[in-house]
Amino acid sequence: MEQEFKNTVITLYKQNKWKEILDLDNEHMEPFAKNILWVWPSLENFDFMKKLIIENGLFGLTSIGCGCGLLEWMFKEYSNLNVIGYEINREWWTSKYSVPMFIDHIYSNQENKVELNSKYALLFCYFNDRMAFKQYVRNYNGSLVLIIGPGEGRGTHTDPQPFRPNFEGNSWVLYDYQEVKNTKDFIAAYIKH
Ligand SMILES: C[S@@+](CC[C@H](N)C(=O)[O-])C[C@H]1O[C@@H](n2cnc3c(N)ncnc32)[C@H](O)[C@@H]1O
């Protein structure tokens, strides 16, 4: 079942059918879907993210901890914006055991001190490393951070959480948010004061 689901996604990816992947009935596929992507957004969610990027005068999206990059690839195809994905553990991702990669990775160094494009929004989707989050945000001179993760009652864990990001200092303020379909996962957008 899991392999079947993965194969369907890969086949559609090869045919460039991002919309069909977005429309897959992943609700019944959990937890298989999670091996590829933790949240399965809607077109409305993509509209919301694109609007946020454009109205803040930005040109693209940098996703930290993008995993296999399926969300990032679909968003890129949908939006025509540039999308960059950062990961760690090159050995794993380039091994025969890893799930397929849908976008190219940039691999972070140990201290997560990477140069981040300030004209791109910064995305953390189901990210789970507080110290790394802090370091990436310190390195980012742009104005828009998107956090996707669980809201109240979802029963999953991320760090940062969309509504408890615990930024250092108080220059980041909540700008807007939207639920991912009716999953209790949320996309929260923070802008710099
Ligand atoms: C729970 S997964 C989420 C993957 C993907 N964003 C998703 O929503 O399906 C967290 C990802 O963050 C990556 N990660 C963890 N620490 C990282 C770091 N310091 N820099 C970049 N990626 C990191 C992990 O390798 C993993 O792929």
Side-chain angles (χ1 to χ4, degrees):
M1 196 72 158
E2 178 179 348
Q3 195 54 45
E4 211 177 288
F5 183 72
K6 224 182 261 180
N7 288 344
T8 307
V9 172
I10 292 168
T11 304
L12 291 171
Y13 167 76
K14 285 184 179 155
Q15 297 166 349
N16 221 25
K17 292 185 172 165
W18 63 271
K19 177 76 172 55
E20 282 80 349
I21 299 179
L22 207 62
D23 289 343
L24 284 179
D25 180 16
N26 72 303
E27 242 171 70
H28 297 107
M29 290 297 171
E30 274 201 60
F32 311 128
K34 278 208 173 87
N35 286 335
I36 319 185
L37 179 55
W38 279 73
V39 295
W40 217 274
S42 63
L43 212 49
E44 196 193 344
N45 295 140
F46 274 177
D47 279 343
F48 175 70
M49 288 166 60
K50 183 174 182 182
K51 190 175 118 285
L52 288 167
I53 292 171
I54 306 276
E55 75 190 15
N56 282 284
L58 303 176
F59 305 109
L61 183 69
T62 300
S63 175
I64 305 291
C66 63
C68 64
L70 181 59
L71 180 143
E72 289 73 9
W73 174 73
M74 290 191 290
F75 182 69
K76 185 170 186 238
E77 294 300 308
Y78 154 81
S79 68
N80 276 322
L81 295 169
N82 276 339
V83 181
I84 294 174
Y86 280 84
E87 258 299 333
I88 48 170
N89 206 347
R90 183 193 301 267
E91 291 69 32
W92 156 251
W93 286 107
T94 52
S95 79
K96 62 179 180 192
Y97 306 105
S98 109
V99 289
M101 278 157 53
F102 299 95
I103 61 165
D104 290 338
H105 286 155
I106 299 176
Y107 292 98
S108 298
N109 56 28
Q110 286 239 302
E111 298 83 38
N112 304 298
K113 283 190 183 151
V114 288
E115 233 176 81
L116 297 170
N117 192 327
S118 61
K119 288 290 174 195
Y120 286 19
L122 198 61
L123 168 69
F124 296 89
C125 179
Y126 262 80
F127 198 62
N128 49 13
D129 184 331
R130 161 69 24 193
M131 293 312 288
F133 169 70
K134 259 193 192 172
Q135 191 57 56
Y136 282 115
V137 175
R138 273 185 209 156
N139 293 347
Y140 176 61
N141 290 316
S143 56
L144 178 65
V145 172
L146 305 178
I147 299 175
I148 304 180
E152 223 43 63
R154 172 72 167 113
T156 49
H157 173 77
T158 61
D159 195 357
Q161 293 179 25
F163 300 116
R164 286 196 206 106
N166 297 329
F167 286 104
E168 292 182 292
N170 49 12
S171 54
W172 291 98
V173 291
L174 184 63
Y175 176 71
D176 207 349
Y177 64 89
Q178 188 181 68
E179 188 170 7
V180 178
K181 298 184 197 155
N182 56 354
T183 59
K184 295 188 180 158
D185 279 322
F186 285 84
I187 306 167
Y190 290 84
I191 54 165
K192 211 161 203 174
H193 229 352

